[in-house]
Amino acid sequence: MTEPVILCVDDEEIVLESLEIELSEKFGDDYVIEIAQGADEALEIVEELIDEGREITVVISDYIMPEVKGDELLRKIHEMSPRTIKIMLTGQASMEGVTNAINNARLYRYITKPWQKEDLSLTISEANRTFFQDKLLEEQNKRLVEKNDQLKELNSTLEQKVEERTTEIVHQKAELEKKNNNITASIRYAQRIQNAILPNISEIQREYLKPFIFFRPRDIVSGDFYWFSHNKETNQLIIAAADCTGHGVPGAFMSFIGIEQLTEIVTIKKVTQADEILNQLHQGVLKVLQHGDGSVKDGMDIALCVINLDSKTMDFAGAKNPLIYVQDGHLKQITGDKLAIGGNYLDQTTFTKQTIDVSTFTTCYLFSDGFQDQFGGPKGRKFMKHNFRELLYIIHHHPVENQEQILNDTLNHWISFPVKYGEAHKQIDDIMVVGFQIDL
């Protein structure tokens, strides 16, 4: 028996390659995956397959193509092969185009780009099942014309199947909702753990140190974290802000590792040199994650400050992340090393320390890249580094509690600008800004 065909149509080679790879992995044993880079090629393939007596179960077509739009292509294919299931795959289709495809080509499903692999796989599976079920029903209906006495029995059978399928779907939905609620509850519990591990801002406050923390995870838990320690023996305050690989649950696990490692290095081992803290943090993360096989590439970017209260100086060391500070009305930046904690590098094996005088009033900022990379505004662009630096300079003379509120209001306003279809922009990453004013 000749294998049935799934046809993918798009004018972008990379999209066709992705579709061909994903569909071949899932359906390659039972179906032939054909691709066409344009409407003309697609129509030629359909005509050839029909002439060969091949069954085309599904056609997946892009909407925006140079020659013919997707709704018109699906209409033509529908005229040639009406039983074929039609799916539109695009991020730019108008409602008019979707409506045309529904009315003129019996459009089965509309999937936006970028698609989710599981959603695409399930949709194709259901479409193939629908195709063969429709084929079977069509053959049965032809026989029913000749055997009217079987009609009542067949209708009863079909009603029973629909009822069974409906019961099955209701059961599956209930199971999915239960699993989703259990997962969400587990993540909520992880959030409680993460909030308990993160230091309370009251632990950081001093007469000479006024801090604020603007902390907004993208998901329930965060891959960004902040950390604080006070070494009374050396009279030093240590403040760090880190951006771990990933966000959500994977990022949160990495943040737990980072907090545990920093606590061991500073609190237990009593290491207080900024550069050496990062050196040992790097080795500790490698040891925890890689177990010697060199395969794990997860880690974190971090900025760390050690405030020396006796000498009124502050040491800084950074893994990719910088320090921004303002003194006497001048904004300055110290760039961290171009190395990530947990990363593999050849030229440099240690981090560097830089020292500044904080005997005069100084406002400092440590942060992840979430704020500056957030899309929004009237043109739907990133906030950008230079705008973020300017915002920090504008707010630096305000009380710290007001600074946190200004950052929050600015971000909300930036995200609130609607995207193309009227919805507000979504937060794309964890966002964290740690600010503190030093007055020694």
Side-chain angles (χ1 to χ4, degrees), residues 220-393:
I220 299 174
V221 289
S222 175
D224 290 355
F225 73 88
Y226 51 92
W227 187 84
F228 168 79
S229 178
H230 181 200
N231 189 314
K232 296 181 179 180
E233 296 177 5
T234 59
N235 205 19
Q236 292 174 304
L237 294 174
I238 303 170
I239 301 174
D243 182 356
C244 298
T245 302
H247 42 71
V249 174
F253 274 113
M254 184 61 63
S255 74
F256 294 158
I257 294 173
I259 292 171
E260 186 274 335
Q261 288 291 316
L262 283 172
T263 301
E264 179 179 356
I265 293 166
V266 176
T267 306
I268 299 177
K269 295 182 178 180
K270 304 297 183 180
V271 178
T272 58
Q273 295 299 314
D275 53 341
E276 185 57 26
I277 293 173
L278 294 196
N279 291 336
Q280 294 199 23
L281 176 62
H282 171 69
Q283 295 300 325
V285 169
L286 285 178
K287 182 178 180 181
V288 170
L289 294 180
Q290 295 183 347
H291 301 290
D293 62 7
S295 61
V296 178
K297 297 182 180 179
D298 295 322
M300 66 192 72
D301 302 336
I302 186 170
L304 183 140
C305 294
V306 178
I307 304 172
N308 304 293
L309 300 176
D310 294 334
S311 62
K312 296 184 179 183
T313 60
M314 184 171 72
D315 298 330
F316 168 78
K320 300 185 75 173
N321 281 1
L323 160 70
I324 288 180
Y325 68 99
V326 183
Q327 282 183 339
D328 300 324
H330 298 288
L331 184 145
K332 302 176 184 180
Q333 175 173 310
I334 302 179
T335 303
D337 294 301
K338 295 182 179 180
L339 315 168
I341 298 295
N344 296 318
Y345 43 85
L346 299 175
D347 297 334
Q348 188 172 354
T349 57
T350 58
F351 292 89
T352 56
K353 177 180 70 176
Q354 301 181 66
T355 303
I356 62 172
D357 184 352
V358 290
S359 59
T360 60
F361 186 84
T362 305
T363 303
C364 303
Y365 300 98
L366 309 176
F367 46 87
S368 64
D369 57 7
F371 202 118
Q372 62 197 30
D373 287 347
Q374 177 60 47
F375 286 96
K379 297 183 179 180
R381 297 177 179 174
K382 289 184 178 183
F383 195 82
M384 303 300 289
K385 292 181 180 179
H386 65 278
N387 290 325
F388 182 60
R389 284 166 52 94
E390 182 178 350
L391 175 61
L392 294 180
Y393 183 75

Side-chain angles (χ1 to χ4, degrees), residues 381-421:
R381 297 177 179 174
K382 289 184 178 183
F383 195 82
M384 303 300 289
K385 292 181 180 179
H386 65 278
N387 290 325
F388 182 60
R389 284 166 52 94
E390 182 178 350
L391 175 61
L392 294 180
Y393 183 75
I394 291 173
I395 70 173
H396 82 274
H397 62 279
H398 289 276
V400 289
E401 59 271 14
N402 292 352
Q403 293 190 39
E404 180 182 355
Q405 187 62 49
I406 294 171
L407 288 174
N408 184 68
D409 294 343
T410 302
L411 183 64
N412 288 338
H413 179 68
W414 182 255
I415 294 178
S416 69
F417 281 91
V419 294
K420 186 175 182 180
Y421 297 107

Side-chain angles (χ1 to χ4, degrees), residues 23-257:
L23 297 183
S24 295
E25 289 177 353
K26 180 68 177 179
F27 306 101
D29 293 338
D30 302 314
Y31 293 81
V32 174
I33 312 300
E34 292 281 359
I35 60 173
Q37 195 170 2
D40 291 341
E41 184 182 356
L43 293 173
E44 291 178 4
I45 292 175
V46 171
E47 185 175 3
E48 291 176 3
L49 292 172
I50 293 174
D51 290 341
E52 295 172 4
R54 304 285 292 278
E55 291 182 322
I56 309 170
T57 61
V58 180
V59 173
I60 311 170
S61 174
D62 188 18
Y63 178 72
I64 301 297
M65 292 186 291
E67 301 167 350
V68 178
K69 287 187 177 180
D71 58 333
E72 179 63 14
L73 171 62
L74 293 180
R75 183 189 67 79
K76 293 181 178 181
I77 293 177
H78 183 67
E79 293 176 354
M80 302 168 67
S81 180
R83 191 189 297 141
T84 298
I85 304 298
K86 293 88 180 176
I87 298 172
M88 188 176 291
L89 177 66
T90 180
Q92 305 180 44
S94 64
M95 289 307 300
E96 179 182 0
V98 174
T99 303
N100 289 339
I102 293 173
N103 294 334
N104 301 323
R106 265 180 41 187
L107 184 68
Y108 175 80
R109 175 81 192 278
Y110 167 71
I111 302 177
T112 58
K113 294 180 180 178
W115 64 86
Q116 292 184 352
K117 185 175 181 180
E118 295 78 6
D119 183 34
L120 179 64
S121 175
L122 180 60
T123 299
I124 299 300
S125 295
E126 288 297 312
N128 286 329
R129 186 189 64 81
T130 299
F131 175 89
F132 289 109
Q133 186 180 61
D134 290 346
K135 177 185 176 183
L136 176 62
L137 291 174
E138 183 177 330
E139 294 171 352
Q140 290 174 339
N141 287 334
K142 288 180 181 179
R143 289 194 296 269
L144 285 174
V145 173
E146 302 173 355
K147 300 179 181 180
N148 288 329
D149 57 330
Q150 299 177 8
L151 181 59
K152 183 178 293 187
E153 181 182 355
L154 178 60
N155 285 338
S156 176
T157 301
L158 290 176
E159 288 176 1
Q160 182 180 357
K161 287 184 177 180
V162 170
E163 183 178 352
E164 290 173 354
R165 179 58 176 160
T166 302
T167 302
E168 181 183 353
I169 291 174
V170 171
H171 177 72
Q172 289 176 348
K173 181 180 179 181
E175 286 295 316
L176 288 174
E177 289 179 350
K178 181 179 178 180
K179 290 179 180 179
N180 182 65
N181 290 336
N182 290 339
I183 292 171
T184 301
S186 297
I187 297 175
R188 291 288 183 192
Y189 190 77
Q191 181 189 37
R192 292 173 57 190
I193 296 174
Q194 187 174 51
N195 290 340
I197 293 176
L198 291 172
N200 191 295
I201 193 169
S202 61
E203 300 176 16
I204 304 176
Q205 290 175 338
R206 299 289 190 277
E207 291 183 2
Y208 49 82
L209 185 74
K210 304 298 181 184
F212 76 86
I213 299 171
F214 179 59
F215 187 62
R216 184 185 289 190
R218 196 200 78 165
D219 303 309
I220 299 174
V221 289
S222 175
D224 290 355
F225 73 88
Y226 51 92
W227 187 84
F228 168 79
S229 178
H230 181 200
N231 189 314
K232 296 181 179 180
E233 296 177 5
T234 59
N235 205 19
Q236 292 174 304
L237 294 174
I238 303 170
I239 301 174
D243 182 356
C244 298
T245 302
H247 42 71
V249 174
F253 274 113
M254 184 61 63
S255 74
F256 294 158
I257 294 173

